[in-house]
Every structure is written in structure tokens, then in C-alpha cells.
Coordinates of all heavy atoms in Angstrom, one line a residue:
D1 N 115.0 102.1 123.4 CA 115.0 103.2 122.3 C 114.0 102.8 121.2 O 113.9 101.6 120.9 CB 116.3 103.4 121.7 CG 117.3 104.1 122.7 OD1 116.9 104.5 123.8 OD2 118.5 104.2 122.4
H2 N 113.3 103.8 120.7 CA 112.3 103.5 119.7 C 113.1 103.3 118.4 O 113.9 104.1 118.0 CB 111.3 104.7 119.6 CG 110.0 104.2 119.0 ND1 109.9 103.7 117.7 CD2 108.8 104.2 119.5 CE1 108.6 103.4 117.5 NE2 107.9 103.7 118.6
P3 N 112.7 102.3 117.6 CA 113.3 102.1 116.2 C 113.1 103.3 115.3 O 113.9 103.5 114.4 CB 112.7 100.9 115.7 CG 112.2 100.1 116.9 CD 111.9 101.2 117.9
F4 N 112.0 104.1 115.6 CA 111.7 105.2 114.7 C 111.8 106.5 115.5 O 111.0 107.4 115.3 CB 110.3 105.1 114.2 CG 110.1 103.7 113.4 CD1 109.1 102.9 113.9 CD2 110.9 103.4 112.4 CE1 108.9 101.6 113.3 CE2 110.7 102.2 111.7 CZ 109.7 101.3 112.2
A5 N 112.8 106.6 116.4 CA 112.9 107.8 117.3 C 112.9 109.1 116.5 O 112.3 110.1 116.9 CB 114.2 107.7 118.1
G6 N 113.6 109.1 115.3 CA 113.7 110.4 114.6 C 112.4 110.7 113.8 O 112.3 111.8 113.2
D7 N 111.5 109.8 113.7 CA 110.3 110.0 112.9 C 109.0 110.4 113.8 O 108.0 110.6 113.3 CB 109.9 108.7 112.1 CG 111.0 108.4 111.1 OD1 111.6 109.3 110.5 OD2 111.4 107.2 111.0
I8 N 109.2 110.4 115.1 CA 108.1 110.7 116.0 C 107.8 112.2 115.9 O 108.7 113.0 116.0 CB 108.4 110.3 117.4 CG1 108.4 108.7 117.5 CG2 107.4 110.8 118.4 CD1 108.8 108.2 118.8
D9 N 106.5 112.5 115.7 CA 106.1 113.9 115.6 C 105.7 114.4 117.0 O 104.6 114.0 117.5 CB 104.9 114.0 114.6 CG 104.6 115.5 114.2 OD1 104.8 116.4 115.1 OD2 104.0 115.7 113.1
T10 N 106.5 115.3 117.5 CA 106.2 115.8 118.9 C 105.2 116.9 118.9 O 105.0 117.5 120.0 CB 107.5 116.2 119.6 OG1 108.2 117.2 118.8 CG2 108.4 115.0 119.8
T11 N 104.6 117.2 117.8 CA 103.5 118.3 117.7 C 102.2 117.6 117.9 O 101.2 118.4 118.1 CB 103.6 119.1 116.4 OG1 103.1 118.2 115.4 CG2 105.0 119.6 116.1
L12 N 102.1 116.3 118.0 CA 100.8 115.6 118.1 C 100.5 115.3 119.5 O 101.2 114.6 120.2 CB 100.8 114.4 117.3 CG 101.1 114.5 115.8 CD1 101.0 113.1 115.1 CD2 100.2 115.5 115.1
H13 N 99.4 115.8 120.1 CA 98.8 115.4 121.3 C 99.8 115.4 122.5 O 99.8 114.5 123.4 CB 98.2 113.9 121.2 CG 97.2 113.8 120.2 ND1 95.9 114.4 120.4 CD2 97.1 113.2 119.0 CE1 95.1 114.1 119.4 NE2 95.9 113.4 118.5
G14 N 100.7 116.4 122.5 CA 101.6 116.5 123.6 C 102.7 115.5 123.7 O 103.2 115.2 124.8
V15 N 103.0 114.8 122.6 CA 104.0 113.7 122.6 C 105.3 114.5 122.9 O 105.8 115.3 122.2 CB 104.1 113.1 121.2 CG1 105.3 112.2 121.1 CG2 102.8 112.3 121.0
P16 N 106.0 114.0 124.0 CA 107.2 114.7 124.4 C 108.4 114.0 123.7 O 108.4 113.0 123.2 CB 107.3 114.5 125.9 CG 106.6 113.1 126.1 CD 105.5 113.1 125.0
E17 N 109.6 114.8 123.7 CA 110.8 114.3 123.2 C 111.2 113.0 123.8 O 111.9 112.1 123.2 CB 111.9 115.3 123.4 CG 111.8 116.5 122.6 CD 112.1 116.3 121.1 OE1 112.8 115.3 120.8 OE2 111.7 117.1 120.3
S18 N 110.8 112.8 125.1 CA 111.2 111.5 125.8 C 110.7 110.3 125.2 O 111.3 109.2 125.5 CB 110.8 111.6 127.3 OG 109.4 111.7 127.4
Y19 N 109.6 110.4 124.4 CA 109.1 109.2 123.8 C 110.1 108.5 122.8 O 109.9 107.3 122.5 CB 107.8 109.5 123.0 CG 106.6 109.6 123.9 CD1 106.6 109.8 125.2 CD2 105.3 109.5 123.3 CE1 105.5 109.9 126.0 CE2 104.1 109.7 124.1 CZ 104.3 109.9 125.4 OH 103.1 110.0 126.2
R20 N 111.1 109.2 122.4 CA 112.0 108.7 121.4 C 112.9 107.6 122.2 O 113.4 106.6 121.5 CB 113.0 109.7 120.9 CG 112.2 110.9 120.2 CD 113.2 111.9 119.6 NE 112.6 113.1 119.3 CZ 111.9 113.4 118.1 NH1 111.7 112.4 117.3 NH2 111.3 114.5 117.9
T21 N 113.1 107.7 123.4 CA 114.0 106.8 124.2 C 113.3 106.1 125.4 O 113.7 105.1 125.8 CB 115.3 107.6 124.7 OG1 114.8 108.7 125.5 CG2 116.1 108.1 123.6
T22 N 112.2 106.8 125.9 CA 111.5 106.2 126.9 C 110.0 105.9 126.4 O 109.2 106.8 126.5 CB 111.5 107.1 128.2 OG1 112.8 107.3 128.5 CG2 110.7 106.4 129.3
V23 N 109.8 104.8 125.8 CA 108.6 104.6 124.9 C 107.4 104.1 125.7 O 107.5 103.0 126.3 CB 109.0 103.6 123.8 CG1 107.8 103.5 122.9 CG2 110.2 104.1 123.1
P24 N 106.3 104.8 125.9 CA 105.2 104.2 126.5 C 104.5 103.3 125.6 O 104.6 103.2 124.4 CB 104.3 105.5 126.8 CG 104.6 106.4 125.6 CD 106.1 106.2 125.3
A25 N 103.7 102.4 126.2 CA 103.0 101.4 125.5 C 101.6 101.2 126.2 O 101.4 101.6 127.3 CB 103.7 100.0 125.5
S26 N 100.7 100.6 125.4 CA 99.4 100.2 125.9 C 99.0 98.9 125.3 O 99.7 98.5 124.4 CB 98.3 101.3 125.6 OG 98.1 101.3 124.2
L27 N 98.0 98.2 125.9 CA 97.6 96.9 125.3 C 96.1 97.0 125.1 O 95.3 97.1 126.0 CB 97.9 95.9 126.3 CG 97.5 94.4 125.9 CD1 98.2 94.0 124.7 CD2 97.6 93.5 127.1
H28 N 95.8 97.0 123.8 CA 94.3 97.0 123.4 C 94.0 95.6 122.8 O 94.6 95.2 121.8 CB 94.0 98.1 122.4 CG 92.7 98.0 121.7 ND1 91.5 97.9 122.5 CD2 92.3 97.9 120.4 CE1 90.5 97.8 121.7 NE2 90.9 97.9 120.4

């Protein structure tokens, strides 16, 4: 679960509700 699940803005770039609990990551 994301520590900031309630603060994720799902209006940006198609961010889905699932990102609150199933968090994608990348490595730059």
C-alpha cells in the first residue's frame, strides 16, 4: 500500500485508483 494513498490525484495522466494499493515503480 502507498503511504500517501489518499493523496494520489487520479486525474493526472490516467493514474488509476489501483495505484493507491498496487503501486508501480520505475528506476531512473
Side-chain angles (χ1 to χ4, degrees):
D1 291 351
H2 206 298
F4 308 119
D7 298 319
I8 291 173
D9 189 335
T10 56
T11 69
L12 302 184
H13 298 292
V15 170
E17 291 286 338
S18 63
Y19 279 18
R20 305 184 195 278
T21 53
T22 306
V23 184
S26 67
L27 178 66
H28 170 53

